[in-house]
Amino acid sequence: MAQASPRGTYLQISESLRQKIEKGKISEALPSEAELMRTYGVGRSTIGRALKALKADGVIESVQGAGWYVAGTGDRRPLVDKVVELLRADGVKVGDAFPSEKELCERFGVSRTAVRSAIAQLEGRGLVAMGASRRRQVRALPAGRSRP
């Protein structure tokens, strides 16, 4: 995003995102910060300032480990809860292969860091462990039933 004064760049980006939200081009989750950096050709701090400006106006809200969302939309559960629900809903059995980090990143639209944190929590609960083939496997099924 070319601009003579870098001080106003974040305002241009926040206005661009605001318009996309108003027009429905972004209706729930915003693209990742890395994707926004590529799209607008700016650094992380500029994207951070643009997102903070939108947050201050009540247009978007952040969900730790899940990203930025248009205010009042989206699934706000922690990623680990979404993955547990995935295990319940997909009829996974003990011993089955656990989805790869890449698959989980794509499915939930989150960073690899967020996925690794969720996997660590699942490993801590004894639900997932590294298998002999250097792939994670389901070691136990989550308690409870899937939602209708």
Side-chain angles (χ1 to χ4, degrees):
M1 176 162 274
Q3 156 118 17
S5 168
R7 291 177 57 184
T9 303
Y10 81 96
L11 293 173
Q12 289 182 343
I13 294 169
S14 67
E15 187 56 33
S16 171
L17 291 170
R18 183 187 312 270
Q19 288 176 8
K20 289 178 181 181
I21 291 167
E22 288 173 358
K23 292 178 181 176
K25 291 180 181 176
I26 298 174
S27 59
E28 194 171 304
L30 273 69
S32 69
E33 290 185 25
E35 191 174 329
L36 292 171
M37 288 166 54
R38 283 190 299 274
T39 299
Y40 292 102
V42 298
R44 186 169 303 281
S45 63
T46 303
I47 293 299
R49 289 181 73 188
L51 295 172
K52 285 180 184 176
L54 290 171
K55 182 179 179 180
D57 290 343
V59 176
I60 63 172
E61 54 195 16
S62 67
V63 177
Q64 187 171 356
W68 291 88
Y69 289 84
V70 175
T73 65
D75 184 350
R76 301 297 192 272
R77 292 179 296 156
L79 180 59
V80 69
D81 292 349
K82 293 178 189 179
V83 175
V84 166
E85 187 66 27
L86 171 71
L87 294 176
R88 288 181 183 137
D90 283 0
V92 175
K93 297 182 222 77
V94 171
D96 284 355
F98 185 75
S100 70
E101 289 178 5
K102 181 180 178 186
E103 291 168 333
L104 292 172
C105 287
E106 291 171 358
R107 178 143 188 179
F108 295 108
V110 297
S111 70
R112 194 167 289 253
T113 302
V115 166
R116 287 179 178 161
S117 174
I119 290 171
Q121 292 175 53
L122 293 171
E123 288 173 337
R125 295 180 189 177
L127 299 177
V128 176
M130 191 62 74
S133 63
R134 297 285 303 149
R135 253 212 81 171
R136 288 183 181 91
Q137 292 182 316
V138 176
R139 292 292 178 209
L141 297 176
R145 299 184 336 162
S146 62
R147 295 178 193 171

